[in-house]
């Protein structure tokens, strides 16, 4: 006895399944990459250990972008050059600062943007160049500096 297979139903199922996978992949790709981004440089004078490309950029705790590129500054070898990819509608102002923060005990690092008063002007590019956000020392760098100063003072 032969089994009766309706090839039209099987073919329709396969076509619908493939169409569903394509729609899901398109949705997963954030609607085809229609989101606009702005790029900003940050030149850090401290170690960026634990920070990687695609690490989060947060503005007052809200995810607003990612770290696009990490390299040594070719003009100053004592600095690390970060290229931040930030969502277009993020209010990055001229007095916004960037600091290295870490997630709890894991050691994974991210960039935290802070500051930017409501009356401050937006940070815009000049002559088509990428604007630069002012860095500020991380909590660990400040603790390290304070401990070094304390040790130096106690040795006297």
């Amino acid at each position: 006895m032969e089994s009766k297979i309706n090839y039209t139903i099987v073919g329709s199922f396969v076509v619908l399944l493939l169409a569903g996978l394509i729609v899901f992949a398109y949705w997963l790709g954030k609607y085809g990459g229609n989101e606009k981004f702005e790029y900003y440089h940050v030149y850090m004078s401290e170690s960026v250990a634990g920070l990687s490309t695609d690490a989060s950029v947060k503005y007052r705790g809200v995810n607003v972008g990612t770290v696009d590129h990490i390299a040594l500054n070719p003009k100053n070898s004592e600095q690390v050059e970060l290229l931040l990819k930030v969502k277009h509608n993020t209010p990055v102002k001229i007095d916004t600062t960037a600091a290295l923060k870490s997630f709890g005990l894991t050691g994974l690092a991210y960039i935290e943007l802070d500051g930017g008063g409501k009356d401050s002007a937006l940070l815009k590019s000049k002559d088509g160049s990428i604007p630069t956000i002012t860095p500020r020392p991380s909590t660990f760098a400040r603790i390290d500096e304070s401990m070094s100063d304390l040790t130096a003072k106690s040795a006297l």
Side-chain angles (χ1 to χ4, degrees):
M1 194 181 264
E2 291 184 34
S3 63
K4 295 182 180 182
I5 300 175
N6 189 343
Y7 292 107
T8 306
I9 293 174
V10 172
S12 300
F13 177 75
V14 170
V15 168
L16 287 173
L17 182 65
L18 285 174
L21 285 173
I22 290 170
V23 168
F24 178 70
Y26 184 73
W27 173 78
L28 198 58
K30 295 197 183 215
Y31 309 105
N34 289 337
E35 196 166 8
K36 293 181 182 177
F37 293 96
E38 300 288 334
Y39 289 89
Y40 299 95
H41 274 132
V42 178
Y43 296 99
M44 304 290 273
S45 296
E46 62 184 273
S47 172
V48 292
L51 187 69
S52 64
T53 55
D54 293 331
S56 295
V57 173
K58 297 179 181 237
Y59 190 83
R60 299 185 185 202
V62 178
N63 281 332
V64 294
T66 59
V67 175
D68 195 56
H69 183 72
I70 302 172
L72 288 175
N73 183 358
K75 296 176 184 172
N76 183 354
S77 63
E78 294 179 358
Q79 292 180 331
V80 177
E81 178 183 72
L82 305 176
L83 182 63
L84 307 182
K85 181 174 150 184
V86 178
K87 291 179 186 175
H88 177 68
N89 59 355
T90 305
V92 178
K93 311 271 179 122
I94 57 173
D95 56 348
T96 299
T97 59
L100 188 67
K101 300 267 183 152
S102 82
F103 291 111
L105 300 174
T106 62
L108 296 175
Y110 65 95
I111 299 296
E112 177 74 31
L113 301 178
D114 198 16
K118 67 178 185 176
D119 296 329
S120 298
L122 290 174
L123 182 60
K124 299 202 181 216
S125 66
K126 296 175 183 172
D127 303 328
S129 63
I130 298 174
T132 302
I133 298 174
T134 305
R136 71 177 188 278
S138 67
T139 304
F140 295 118
R142 289 188 309 224
I143 290 172
D144 183 45
E145 184 178 334
S146 297
M147 294 302 279
S148 296
D149 290 345
L150 185 63
T151 304
K153 288 179 182 177
S154 66
L156 296 176

